[in-house]
Amino acid sequence: MSGIPHNGPGDAGSEFDLHGLVLSLRRRWRFALGGAVLAGGLAAAWLWNVEPVYRASATLRLEEDASAGGVLGELAALGKAPAAAAEIAVLSSRQLAESTVAPALDGALRDPEQLRLGLTTRVEDPRRRPLRAVAQRLLGRSSSGGRLRAAVTAAEAGAPRSVQLEFGDEPGRVTLSDAEGFGFGAASATVEFRAAEPFEALGLTLVFKPEGELAGRTLLLHRDDPRDAARRLVGGTRVVETQRNSGVLSVTVSDSDPLRAAESANALVANYLARSVESGRRRASQAVDFIKSQLVIQGDALEEAEAAVVELKRAHPETIDPSAAASRLIADLADFELSRLQLQLAAANLGDALAMIEQGNLEGLSRLGPTLVDPLGATLVEQLTQLSLELQLQDRADATISRQRLATRLDELGDLAAALDAQVSELKTLLSDLAAGDRNALAMLGGSGAGVAPDPLTGGYLAQIAELDGRIELLSQGMTTAHPELSAPLAARTATIERLAAHLAGRLDGLRSAAAERRAEVERTAARLDAEPAAERAQITAAMDDLIDRTAAHLTGRAQSLAAEDAELAKLQTALDQRLAALPERELALAAPMRRLETHKELVTYLLTSLQEAEINRAVTVPRAEIVDPAIAPSGRYAPRLSVTLLGSVLAGLCAGLSLGALAERLRNALHDSRELERVTGLPVLASIPDFTQGPARVPGAGAGFVALRDEPHGPVAEAYRSLRANLRFAAGDIDSLKTLAVTSCSPGEGKSTTNVDLAWAFASGGRRVLLVDADLRRPAAHKYLNLQQTPGLAEVLAGEHDWRQCIQHTPNSSLQVLSAGDLVGNASDILDGEPARALLDSLTSNYDLVVFDLPPALVVADVEGFAHRLDGVVLLYRSGGLAAESVRAACLRLRQAGVKLIGAVLNADRGVSRTTGYGSYGGDANNYYLAAGEASERQSA
């Protein structure tokens, strides 16, 4: 038995078993199919009802306007365009969306040229829903057709917000029903309407404007709150710069209606351009209004001065011109008046800037920056604009290099923590298996596939254990465990394993501490990453507050400086007035009105020139951007992708089903292949019997009494039993010493009786005289397979009622005879464990080459424990996918404790072979090895 070659558990676990994976997938196909069907059905139901998404994009190019000169450059604030980020914020703003979704000015339907789309009323076409569109195409119906524009308001409280519209074949007639109602209780009404004329139904006032044919169509009309409509438009709008610093913006709007998506994108762009024009014109208009007010004042004063000069010359015709000195004084006074007016204009500009700072209007202040009188003021405003843009970018994950580094570090720490957790779990499992006495734990610890790499001390312990195992294996062939030479290495092995377990427990504590520390570091790094934007935002906000204070202080100082300069000019003007008053009386009488006339003439001329410039600039004010490409209605749906959604859902359901099947298998913990059976039992798997009732190796017509070697001698099942016979010859070493043999199972229904009958038939077909004894006295079955009588049998023989020779029955196989179970009277355990059973066993072995016993299941009754230890060999049968691994392990332990000589295991009902491939491609490497070696042994003996 020690010479039987087989793959150990460590070897099996360290290699990728593609065959086992395929078999596992076969076992879980029902779960996978169910998950795929369920997920596909849910996806189809979702696609049937979900609104489609269409995307339309318009492209803008931002322009840098040259700063205007003159008074408009001082007051209109038409400087260069701000950065693209600021314009993106404007295009994505709620205020712009609210102006776009608002109803038309006439309260009804809009014209295509208007910028107010009236999106508080939406008309949806259910035929556009993805799966319904496919159904329409399959039925040969066109999904295109007319369009309905509508406006709706609530005429009564409690009016429905969603209405279904059904247009009949008769034009101008529609049936409205409450789409929020359920079943037949929903309110409905059939009314007639005229295009663009209001009508009432269901507590609503509606206006329809059909475009195209609507006969036979069913539409949905939704009435939204203006805030909800604006929120939906903002959520569906995406504005990005096509390339960094390119100044080209793409405005994309997502909507369930392709035409509405294009109209919304174009309307947003148009409203944005109109807003920029309005802003420029408003600033220019302020300048114009100020100049006009001053022009009225100066014009009236000029008329008075002219009238005074005319009256003076009429009264004193001899006086025509003032003297040269008076003329110079008059010209200087006119210049002073003009300078003071310019100072007043500059002061007004600074006043506007200070008002914007108090209101927090940084956007307006950024437009005013280039027109400030001094470079420092313009620089401060530019810095404020840059800080404002940085504050808007703080929510982006890639806003700063430090955040990128923190995010990368967090990923690295997460991977390290996961690796440590995996090592802790692996080491806990190894310690648990080691404490349970599982020899496979040592193989897994030393294997290349172990999750915890062995350290030098662990390797030393493993080497000592391996050396001791070799000595124990060698000595156990001729000694019992009580022999001193064998008990010493056994005790040394136990002590070494204890030291190894203590060492591994210490390693486990260290790994746990390291994993806890790593997880704490992950939490700290995550907290830093979460706090990073807040800290950066706080720094930027503080810098902005400080810069705003500095800017306000600077502008206030500039305003005070202008006021002081104006006061100084006023003093100089007063001195000139005094000099003018010192002229002779005749000259003074003419100089005073001439001074007023020249002054107001200069001021009026300057104001007229400035007014003309301002009017021209206001008239030619252009938008801050130009449209490169307007949005057009998309021809195809952006989302959801029908094929991708369905395929992804089916694959997700497939994976979920497989995962659920794997979980069910794990919870059940059943065994499915020979490697698992070998790992749990510690026995070599001598054969794997195909499942002939279902699966790829199913035998048509095979019923409850199917005997493979009799009914289908050339099939894969018969070949499997021949392989079992050959492997038993090889496993027994000296085949002549194997006189008694039994195949038992852990529980009923695993196929032990079938296996015993076929195994006995196989040995009999090889030329040996074989007796099959049905020792399952509680549930006898062997006689049913061979169409024999149940009585008299073993029970009557052991009771002394019959001689065993009188109870022998013959089979179609001349070398095979059967002793059936008989009728049980009394306790089966007592009968099989008594002296008559021992005597019968000796008598049978002296008359037959091989006696095969069909024993009861090992975990159900104790019969097998009192009898099986007398047999030369017992094989444990396990049905694939049957009992849990713990039950199989318990059965093996129970049999070994009873002294039963377990020589191998058999995997029954294995579906890893098909009738076309045959047994040659079935089973593991050990089976092929056993088969070849066994057949060679048979040839030598023949």
Side-chain angles (χ1 to χ4, degrees), residues 892-903:
C892 290
L893 179 61
R894 185 171 179 176
L895 291 173
R896 287 191 174 100
Q897 289 176 346
V900 176
K901 302 178 183 65
L902 288 174
I903 61 174

Side-chain angles (χ1 to χ4, degrees), residues 1 4 726-738 903 937:
M1 180 173 168
I4 299 176
N727 293 339
L728 281 170
R729 287 175 178 272
F730 186 77
D734 183 8
I735 190 61
D736 294 331
S737 64
L738 186 65
I903 61 174
S937 177

Side-chain angles (χ1 to χ4, degrees), residues 51 94 97-98 101 118-124 161 222-238 252-256 260 264 268:
E51 295 290 349
R94 179 180 54 82
E98 287 178 349
V101 305
L119 295 182
T120 53
T121 300
R122 291 181 295 122
V123 179
E124 304 289 353
R161 303 191 68 86
H222 301 284
R223 176 172 60 91
D224 293 333
D225 181 84
R227 291 185 178 180
D228 293 337
R231 190 179 300 112
R232 186 178 61 254
L233 181 58
V234 170
T237 302
R238 180 172 176 266
T252 303
V253 175
S254 301
D255 201 286
S256 57
R260 192 165 59 223
S264 300
L268 281 174

Side-chain angles (χ1 to χ4, degrees), residues 24 27-32 655-672 881-886:
S24 178
R27 292 192 298 268
R28 302 171 192 166
W29 69 270
R30 290 184 179 86
F31 287 93
C655 294
L658 290 174
S659 301
L660 184 61
L663 178 61
E665 282 197 4
R666 185 172 184 83
L667 293 176
R668 187 180 179 187
N669 198 21
L671 309 177
H672 295 280
L883 294 177
E886 290 76 10

Side-chain angles (χ1 to χ4, degrees), residues 58 205 254 326 333 346 384 397 435 437 455 482 512 598 614 627 702 735-736 742 814 934:
T205 301
S254 301
L333 284 171
L384 270 176
D455 57 286
R512 283 173 174 166
E598 290 298 326
I627 299 177
I735 190 61
D736 294 331
S814 59

